[in-house]
Amino acid sequence: MTPLLLTSPTFAPGCPIPRRHTGFEADLSPALCLSGLTPEAVSLAVTMDDLDVPFTKIYSHWLIWNLPPAAELPEGIPHGQTLPELGGAVQGIGYGRHGYRGPYPPPFLRAPHRYLFQVYALDCRLELSPRIRRAALLSAMQGHILQEASLLGTFQRT
């Protein structure tokens, strides 16, 4: 199977996420582009996590699943538990409750943070409550992941 590649027209891998995609400005989810997506994919799931919060290993910023398989996810996916305009996609609970919440480190965390976007191509749609959190989503996806890809961005509060 062809490897899945995740990129964004907004930032290069390992580079800073622009402020418009953070809590300091518009807080819009960035556009995400997929290449090599298998035709067997029934749905997509996306997570976005801060890897550098000192009091936890991973701090979830965004959970969305049941996205239709597509080569591009648009910028500015709206908040809400379910998104009929995106094929009935569902957003769970993270820092961005039922929606994307971009980087917004507190004033006492001035070191650079790494933000990991992960996309999963699944062989099914997931029947999950919008009240779930990251661990439950990852557990439900087990055995259904056809492909996965990640993209790392950074952000530092100035």
Side-chain angles (χ1 to χ4, degrees), residues 9 20 23 25 35 44 68 108 150 152:
R20 72 181 260 109
E25 286 192 11
S35 60
L44 300 175
F108 59 87
S150 60
L152 186 74

Side-chain angles (χ1 to χ4, degrees), residues 63 65 91-94 98 128-134 136-137 140:
L63 305 172
W65 62 91
Q91 297 186 98
I93 297 176
H98 305 300
L128 301 171
S129 165
R131 293 186 299 271
I132 70 159
R133 297 186 182 270
R134 184 179 184 278
L137 174 60

Side-chain angles (χ1 to χ4, degrees), residues 19-38:
R19 285 183 72 86
R20 72 181 260 109
H21 299 285
T22 74
F24 294 98
E25 286 192 11
D27 212 9
L28 298 173
S29 62
L32 299 173
C33 301
L34 295 170
S35 60
L37 181 62
T38 180

Side-chain angles (χ1 to χ4, degrees), residues 63-97:
L63 305 172
I64 185 168
W65 62 91
N66 290 346
L67 288 158
E72 184 172 338
L73 301 177
E75 177 184 79
I77 291 177
H79 286 223
Q81 291 184 10
T82 58
L83 302 172
E85 66 274 24
L86 287 173
V90 180
Q91 297 186 98
I93 297 176
Y95 175 49
R97 185 176 176 101

